[in-house]
Amino acid sequence: MAISRVCVIGAGVMGSGIAAQVANAGVAVVLLDIIPPGASDRNVLAKAALERLQKTEPAPLMSKAALKLIEIGNVEDDLARLAACDWIIEAVTEKLEAKQALYKKIESFRMDGSVISSNTSTLPLHVLMAGMPASMKQDFCITHFFNPPRYMRLLEIVAGPETRAEAVAAVAEFSDLKLGKVVVRAKDTPGFIANRIGVFWIQCAVNAARGLGLTVEEADAVMGKPCGFPKSGVFDLLDIVGLDLQPHIDASLRFALPKTDAYVQMPADFPLLARLIAEGSTGRKGKGGFYRLNRAGGKKEKQVIDLKTGEYRAVNTVSFESVDAAKGGLRALVSHPDRGGQLAWKVLSQTLRYAASLVPGIAEDIADVDLAMRTGFNWKRGPFEMIDQLGATWFAEMLAGENMTVPPLVNEAALQNGFYKGNQQLAASGGYKPVPRPPGALLLSDIRAQSQPLAKNASASLWDIGDGVACLEFHSKMNAIDPDTMTMAAKAIEIVSSGMTALVIHNEADNFSVGANLGLALFAANLGMWPVLEELVRQGQAVMKAIKFAPFPVVAAPTGLALGGGCEFILHCAAVQAHAELYMGLVEVGVGIIPGWGGCKEMLIRKQGAVKGPMPAVMGAFEQISLAKVSKSAADARDLGYLRESDGITMNKDRLLADAKARALKLAEGYKPPQPVDLRLPGTTGLAALRMAIQSYAQQGLALPHDVTVSTHLAKVLSGDGADMTKVVSEDRVMELEKQEFMKLVKLEATLSRMEAMLATGKPLRN
């Protein structure tokens, strides 16, 4: 069955977020809720949800167009609309009676064969299905989304023995292809996979931190990046999720789990947490939590609660030798004798041991558990991957040495020397089996595990991904672009030209590229190495030109941040297959320079194709670059002109490379490179108009002195610096102007100050 229309019942934060993601996929969705007593507007709750979706940050909606796909209503007047919906998602309060009463109403109105699912995190499937008619049981399952639904990739699906395989397959396929979800099949056990392990980890970390006498900020410093957990750590994560949610999840798990379960046996008494909740200090959605912003005296000061006194104080700087040792690996962290190392070992030993004891009880495969924790809790590695990083034999010996029971699965991994061998995973029943991939997915990590690169240096590699297509992968820190990146890009053009069909530019990091290596540029500038910087600009322009006019198609497949030079790489490709979560923009003005690798030129070409006359095109490009506009999604990037209407968008990140490869092969059929574009630029008249706009911004306080300087140099490039509207300006001429004005700006002290500030703080300096 195909899903073409969806209904979400329950317009709270979670339900409306799910509806928004369905709309982001370009699919019509009906959002219903109850009618509050005495309400004059019978759709007031659903209507309020729509208003909230437009104001919430981070934005649940990818574009304004998505909002138009959400219809609202209520469960008293509009259940007849269910007859046109293929999938009905119940997302009401976690109360069994309310859910089961709703199911009876749904059964009266739904079409035959439509799928009904509950978005629950606490109620078991068999309990929800109690009393259901057989006709509904066969179409019923749990679909556990994670909040916020747009950004959290995990979807746990729990099906019962009566659930039709076709119904589960339809939901899984739609969620994968349309909603961009990583679909994991979980068993009908309390907390399913991610919450079962994640909640254990949080409770264990809180208890261990208190037991070791650590402060909140000390615990978070260890329980964040050093362990491979989100940088928020544990206490800040509780603030983000909401402190008031923790007792409900805790009570649900303790009620459902056997008394012998390690979670049930773990102490949970935390009077300070109860006090904070009672005071309305429920985290970021309340007055603060373990952390808060103190606004007394008109200033904003981040404060943290003292676990001993219960009073707020200033946040202290944390310094643990173990955190520094973590750069040498996870074992170096947990082996360190300081309190940070003690915390890491106490938490990881118990959490990883607990996870290993749960398979195959909560899931068939260890790979599913690791996938759930990476995508549901944003762990860098799942528990079994962490054990492999520590060394399964070492981990088993350490547990035994502390008189802790070693789970059979860990003992087996120790005997076999690891949970993973290449693309094989240890099976719960013994031996190894393949790590499954969704049909049609293509991951660069799999290619790396099975082959050698065609070429490689410190910053980039070139891979053969089959069918005559090569993939250029960036892998410097934050995928920052440096001379090695450019050298490998030029090498890629050369290799593909020698008998291959197409090139894809892609990597599997969180971000495509944050732009040029700013530290390298600042180093050269501080030493006055101007020829080196000019050569870097020249080299970059030559590579971008080679990409654009290559005799074969070059397709960019970006995800995450694609800023500055990363954006310029994309702009020069024959086509783009973008992940839906693409945050793309030319942001060079923030560090006191302008795009120097053809970004100005490409934006002029795009704007010229979208509007009539040279001045509107120039003004459009000027506004976008001078304000450093960054897209909030791939759909937004299309609206801004960074992407063309012909460029594709892939919802599921795991399918991005496969889609880009298919796009490249399709383009390769009879491919002819583009012809250079002739531009008509307004010259002196246009420059005068842009200068007036800049002065207006300055007078309004919207542009500081160096903003005026940078924008004036940008205006020279975009206006053509003396161009004549009766004559055409070549692409090469605009790129020459980019290099000329870039080099002027990079020599200014104010620009160097901006670069230094960005490297030191990660934020633009306002000077």
Side-chain angles (χ1 to χ4, degrees):
M1 62 174 288
I3 295 174
S4 59
R5 189 175 177 83
V6 176
C7 177
V8 178
I9 303 179
V13 171
M14 198 68 195
S16 60
I18 295 170
Q21 186 63 0
V22 174
N24 288 335
V27 176
V29 56
V30 179
L31 180 62
L32 307 178
D33 210 318
I34 62 169
I35 304 172
S40 56
D41 184 344
R42 297 173 70 82
N43 297 335
V44 63
L45 293 183
K47 188 175 291 184
L50 282 192
E51 293 173 358
R52 188 172 62 246
L53 287 176
Q54 298 172 72
K55 298 175 182 177
T56 301
E57 290 294 338
L61 293 163
M62 292 181 179
S63 67
K64 293 179 181 178
L67 186 66
K68 298 175 183 177
L69 289 169
I70 305 176
E71 303 172 20
I72 61 171
N74 64 77
V75 293
E76 292 186 27
D77 303 329
D78 300 299
L79 285 180
R81 297 194 202 179
L82 299 184
C85 296
D86 307 295
W87 181 13
I88 302 159
I89 304 170
E90 169 267 302
V92 303
T93 182
E94 292 284 85
K95 293 181 179 177
L96 180 62
E97 297 78 9
K99 290 178 183 287
Q100 290 183 331
L102 178 61
Y103 299 152
K104 291 179 181 179
K105 294 180 180 180
I106 289 173
E107 180 65 0
S108 302
F109 289 95
R110 75 182 182 102
M111 74 163 88
D112 291 340
S114 62
V115 184
I116 310 101
S117 71
S118 175
N119 179 65
T120 181
S121 60
T122 60
L123 296 171
L125 180 70
H126 65 273
V127 173
L128 290 171
M129 294 174 71
M132 269 187 192
S135 59
M136 192 173 196
K137 285 182 178 180
Q138 68 177 2
D139 296 327
F140 190 85
C141 63
I142 285 174
T143 49
H144 180 210
F145 289 82
F146 282 68
N147 196 32
R150 171 181 166 183
Y151 300 96
M152 298 302 293
R153 298 182 65 207
L154 179 62
L155 175 69
E156 293 176 321
I157 296 183
V158 182
E162 300 99 329
T163 310
R164 288 185 300 118
E166 296 84 1
V168 177
V171 167
E173 181 179 30
F174 181 87
S175 300
D176 173 351
L177 297 177
K178 295 290 188 178
L179 302 185
K181 295 299 174 186
V182 169
V183 177
V184 173
R185 293 288 296 273
K187 295 187 178 182
D188 191 19
T189 57
F192 311 130
I193 300 173
N195 277 354
R196 178 77 174 273
I197 297 170
V199 173
F200 181 97
W201 162 62
I202 290 171
Q203 188 65 63
C204 182
V206 169
N207 289 349
R210 294 169 65 204
L212 289 167
L214 294 172
T215 65
V216 167
E217 63 267 50
E218 285 176 335
D220 282 350
V222 177
M223 284 290 104
K225 286 187 175 182
C227 288
F229 299 138
K231 64 180 181 179
S232 58
V234 170
F235 289 100
D236 197 23
L237 177 62
L238 285 169
D239 278 357
I240 293 168
V241 172
L243 303 190
D244 52 334
L245 186 61
Q246 182 67 16
H248 293 292
I249 296 175
D250 178 70
S252 171
L253 283 175
R254 289 178 185 276
F255 174 78
L257 291 170
K259 302 301 180 186
T260 55
D261 189 87
Y263 181 81
V264 177
Q265 294 180 350
M266 193 188 307
D269 183 46
F270 194 1
L272 177 58
L273 177 65
R275 193 202 88 191
L276 288 170
I277 295 170
E279 293 173 352
S281 298
T282 53
R284 295 192 185 180
K285 66 182 180 182
K287 297 184 294 185
F290 292 105
Y291 297 90
R292 75 175 185 184
L293 270 182
N294 181 24
R295 294 182 170 86
K299 296 181 179 180
K300 290 183 180 180
E301 179 195 25
K302 187 175 182 180
Q303 295 183 323
V304 64
I305 203 161
D306 191 300
L307 294 177
K308 294 178 180 178
T309 67
E311 301 298 323
Y312 284 99
R313 57 167 173 78
V315 177
N316 292 325
T317 301
V318 176
S319 178
F320 279 131
E321 288 183 3
S322 55
V323 170
D324 293 329
K327 296 173 184 176
L330 202 54
R331 193 190 295 190
L333 170 65
V334 301
S335 301
H336 199 282
D338 73 8
R339 290 186 305 151
Q342 292 176 49
L343 175 68
W345 171 247
K346 198 168 187 67
V347 175
L348 287 177
S349 61
Q350 294 184 58
T351 302
L352 304 185
R353 175 172 168 262
Y354 184 63
S357 72
L358 298 176
V359 177
I362 61 172
E364 285 298 326
D365 295 337
I366 62 167
D368 282 343
V369 175
D370 283 341
L371 185 59
M373 297 315 297
R374 290 198 310 270
T375 56
F377 272 75
N378 283 333
W379 288 9
K380 185 177 181 180
R381 296 177 183 85
F384 299 100
E385 293 167 320
M386 284 196 212
I387 295 174
D388 272 3
Q389 188 186 19
L390 290 167
T393 301
W394 181 88
F395 184 65
E397 291 173 350
M398 288 294 291
L399 294 180
E402 296 188 8
N403 296 317
M404 288 190 274
T405 303
V406 183
L409 208 54
V410 174
N411 276 326
E412 182 65 21
L415 289 172
Q416 299 292 340
N417 200 28
F419 281 103
Y420 292 95
K421 291 182 179 179
N423 292 332
Q424 300 283 312
Q425 61 171 322
L426 184 66
S429 57
Y432 287 84
K433 62 181 181 179
V435 175
R437 302 294 188 210
L442 177 64
L443 297 181
L444 196 55
S445 55
D446 288 345
I447 292 166
R448 286 198 303 265
Q450 298 167 0
S451 61
Q452 294 297 315
L454 298 172
K456 181 178 182 178
N457 63 25
S459 298
S461 298
L462 186 68
W463 301 91
D464 186 339
I465 60 174
D467 301 311
V469 181
C471 178
L472 175 63
E473 174 196 23
F474 304 153
H475 47 65
S476 59
K477 184 177 180 180
M478 295 294 287
N479 291 328
I481 298 163
D482 57 23
D484 277 350
T485 312
M486 293 301 187
T487 298
M488 189 52 58
K491 184 73 172 175
I493 298 294
E494 178 186 330
I495 291 174
V496 177
S497 295
S498 301
M500 299 187 77
T501 304
L503 175 66
V504 171
I505 305 177
H506 170 74
N507 61 73
E508 289 177 352
D510 291 337
N511 298 306
F512 180 75
S513 174
V514 296
N517 187 323
L518 199 58
L520 180 64
L522 183 60
F523 175 78
N526 279 330
L527 293 179
M529 300 167 65
W530 310 124
V532 172
L533 279 172
E534 189 162 356
E535 174 57 23
L536 181 59
V537 178
R538 187 210 61 77
Q539 182 190 22
Q541 290 189 349
V543 166
M544 300 301 170
K545 190 173 179 179
I547 287 172
K548 181 171 183 176
F549 298 110
F552 51 82
V554 181
V555 176
T559 185
L561 293 174
L563 305 177
C567 178
E568 288 174 298
F569 260 99
I570 297 168
L571 291 175
H572 286 86
C573 289
V576 183
Q577 188 67 37
H579 181 224
E581 298 297 346
L582 176 63
Y583 318 119
M584 178 181 181
L586 297 168
V587 298
E588 287 86 349
V589 295
V591 290
I593 55 177
I594 62 171
W597 289 334
C600 297
K601 175 256 302 179
E602 285 301 311
M603 288 314 300
L604 282 171
I605 291 172
R606 278 163 167 70
K607 297 298 181 182
Q608 181 175 272
V611 296
K612 292 182 178 180
M615 201 57 210
V618 168
M619 286 298 294
F622 176 78
E623 179 183 354
Q624 200 152 312
I625 298 171
S626 66
L627 296 178
K629 288 188 177 180
V630 175
S631 68
K632 295 181 179 180
S633 66
D636 189 37
R638 184 179 280 163
D639 291 342
L640 290 170
Y642 292 130
L643 298 184
R644 296 155 292 206
E645 287 298 321
S646 58
D647 290 328
I649 297 175
T650 296
M651 292 294 285
N652 194 324
K653 187 177 178 180
D654 292 344
R655 296 186 176 278
L656 182 57
L657 181 56
D659 288 352
K661 177 184 173 182
R663 185 74 182 279
L665 287 170
K666 183 69 176 175
L667 284 173
E669 299 171 5
Y671 182 74
K672 293 181 181 180
Q675 294 298 308
V677 176
D678 289 330
L679 290 157
R680 291 192 181 274
L681 301 178
T684 305
T685 304
L687 179 58
L690 291 176
R691 280 178 166 161
M692 287 177 63
I694 294 167
Q695 290 305 318
S696 175
Y697 284 139
Q699 289 168 5
Q700 296 174 59
L702 301 175
L704 294 175
H706 199 48
D707 296 323
V708 171
T709 300
V710 176
S711 296
T712 301
H713 284 272
L714 174 63
K716 288 182 180 180
V717 175
L718 296 177
S719 66
D721 193 24
D724 184 340
M725 277 194 286
T726 64
K727 298 177 181 178
V728 297
V729 178
S730 69
E731 292 189 27
D732 285 346
R733 171 58 181 162
V734 179
M735 292 180 84
E736 180 60 34
L737 288 173
E738 286 186 28
K739 183 174 69 172
Q740 173 184 304
E741 300 306 318
F742 177 96
M743 291 306 301
K744 290 177 183 176
L745 283 167
V746 81
K747 295 176 182 179
L748 300 178
E749 195 62 39
T751 289
L752 300 184
S753 296
R754 284 196 177 188
M755 288 183 173
E756 288 169 353
M758 181 61 75
L759 287 171
T761 68
K763 298 177 181 178
L765 173 68
R766 308 299 293 144
N767 61 345

